[in-house]
Amino acid sequence: MSNPKARPPVLASSHDVELAGLAQGGDRAAYGELVRRHGAAIRGLLLRLGADPTLADDVAQEGFLTAFEQIGDFRGESAFLAWIKRIVARLYIKRLRRETRGGLLDLTARPDGETSAIAQDVLGGADLDQALRGLTRSERLCVGLCYGAGFSHAEVADALNAPLSAVKSEVKRGLDKLRSGLAWGGV
Amino acid sequence: MADPEFEGRLGRLFAEAPPLGDSEAFARRVSSRLDRAWTLRRLLIGGLGVAGGLIGVGQVAASGVVGRAAILSTQSVKIFSIAMANHLPAHLFFDYMPVGSDFLWAAGAFLVVGLVLVVMRAIGEL
């Protein structure tokens, strides 16, 4: 029986696909190494999608547990990180739906462009995270799902149960803001 | 208008993990939740196994099959012994064994117990 607390050097130097293969055989220590490697990326994605740090931590944990349950479906055709990002993004959307009492996300609502200041503190002042502050919640979500989680516009529309045209508009507006926020061309 | 260069840069920026300082603590929290779920599952499987076993034992006891098996076993031993005595010269069989027929029965019983232990271990590993 493997001890998840132990971290043999061989695990630390193993490729993600090898670790996933071990995890498919029930090796929780190997899976723990994957969590250690990609935990920050997953929580970072959730923070960039607009989650506050507590929610990001919770959804990220749930995502890793769900991914372990579904690890048999991972065939190494894509990177492990890309695979789990999609799982986590869907969990986050499900959580947002629950918060809105099962209703659809209102992509046309444009609250005030606020993003979580706490999340921003956690993320620090990196260019991207700074620029994301200028986006509305829905713009941030759509852009994050497309460029952070690898969703297509159609997949975002499907996941959010929103019209494809609305998603494309949100992404376009978000990209325009990011382009100026990231000082593209000037940096 | 699509701007592949900008979108490519954006994709790379999103791919960079932010420097969060508590990666080890986060991994421990996930491992802890994983262990809890694992333990719960094993307890559930074990509990269902025990319940199923008890029901099975109850059914077997109620059907009186043990008594019938004992009678059949006794009869089988007699038939087997007679058959052996009639068809095989004594020196071809038990004379070459270090012990008598009791040993064979005991070995058979140990084999069954061993198989049960192997099956239990295999279930435990699942």
Side-chain angles (χ1 to χ4, degrees):
Chain A
M1 186 72 55
S2 57
N3 177 6
K5 291 184 175 62
R7 191 187 183 195
V10 67
L11 289 184
S13 60
S14 296
H15 190 272
D16 282 2
V17 175
E18 290 175 288
L19 293 172
L22 290 170
Q24 284 171 349
D27 189 334
R28 283 175 287 153
Y31 193 70
E33 179 61 28
L34 287 170
V35 176
R36 202 169 286 108
R37 275 184 202 177
H38 302 302
I42 293 300
R43 284 184 296 158
L45 171 66
L46 289 162
L47 293 168
R48 285 167 175 165
L49 289 173
D52 66 62
T54 307
L55 180 61
D57 193 279
D58 193 36
V59 175
Q61 286 185 40
E62 195 183 336
F64 275 109
L65 296 178
T66 304
F68 186 69
E69 294 288 328
Q70 300 175 2
I71 193 77
D73 296 340
F74 177 70
R75 293 184 178 83
E77 292 157 353
S78 60
F80 175 81
L81 182 57
W83 179 72
I84 194 172
K85 273 182 174 178
R86 295 175 69 86
I87 291 174
V88 170
R90 289 191 186 282
L91 284 175
Y92 178 60
I93 292 167
K94 196 186 286 183
R95 191 68 74 94
L96 285 180
R97 282 183 186 282
R98 208 182 303 158
E99 279 180 7
T100 54
R101 295 173 189 172
L104 304 177
L105 286 177
D106 187 1
L107 284 174
T108 57
R110 314 185 64 76
D112 54 6
E114 84 173 42
T115 55
S116 167
I118 306 168
Q120 205 56 49
D121 288 344
V122 173
L123 286 168
D127 284 350
L128 173 63
D129 303 309
Q130 197 72 30
L132 283 170
R133 298 180 78 170
L135 275 61
T136 65
R137 187 183 185 192
S138 51
E139 288 165 354
R140 187 172 180 153
L141 185 60
C142 289
V143 169
L145 287 173
C146 287
Y147 295 91
F151 282 37
S152 67
H153 289 173
E155 285 174 324
V156 175
D158 185 50
L160 300 180
N161 201 11
L164 179 60
S165 57
V167 170
K168 285 182 174 177
S169 299
E170 294 292 333
V171 171
K172 185 183 180 311
R173 274 192 293 269
L175 288 181
D176 288 343
K177 290 180 184 177
L178 285 178
R179 192 177 283 109
S180 58
L182 289 168
W184 180 237
V187 176
Chain B
M1 185 180 290
D3 183 349
E5 195 178 347
F6 172 69
E7 291 179 29
R9 182 191 174 207
L10 192 60
R12 286 192 295 278
L13 286 174
F14 265 104
E16 288 174 12
L20 303 176
D22 58 343
S23 294
E24 285 295 329
F26 176 77
R28 276 197 299 274
R29 288 197 291 276
V30 173
S31 289
S32 166
R33 282 182 67 171
L34 207 56
D35 286 346
R36 277 205 301 275
W38 203 256
T39 305
L40 202 64
R41 181 178 301 180
R42 294 183 75 169
L43 284 174
L44 186 67
I45 292 171
L48 288 173
V50 169
L54 288 174
I55 291 170
V57 167
Q59 292 290 321
V60 168
S63 67
V65 74
V66 176
R68 285 203 293 273
I71 293 167
L72 283 174
S73 175
T74 309
Q75 290 171 345
S76 300
V77 170
K78 282 179 187 169
I79 291 167
F80 178 73
S81 302
I82 291 165
M84 294 296 289
N86 288 341
H87 293 95
L88 288 174
H91 69 274
L92 286 180
F93 195 64
F94 290 115
D95 281 3
Y96 287 102
M97 301 291 287
V99 289
S101 61
D102 291 347
F103 174 82
L104 291 177
W105 287 108
F110 279 121
L111 183 65
V112 169
V113 171
L115 282 173
V116 168
L117 288 174
V118 167
V119 169
M120 286 172 67
R121 179 63 190 265
I123 290 171
E125 289 295 324
L126 288 178

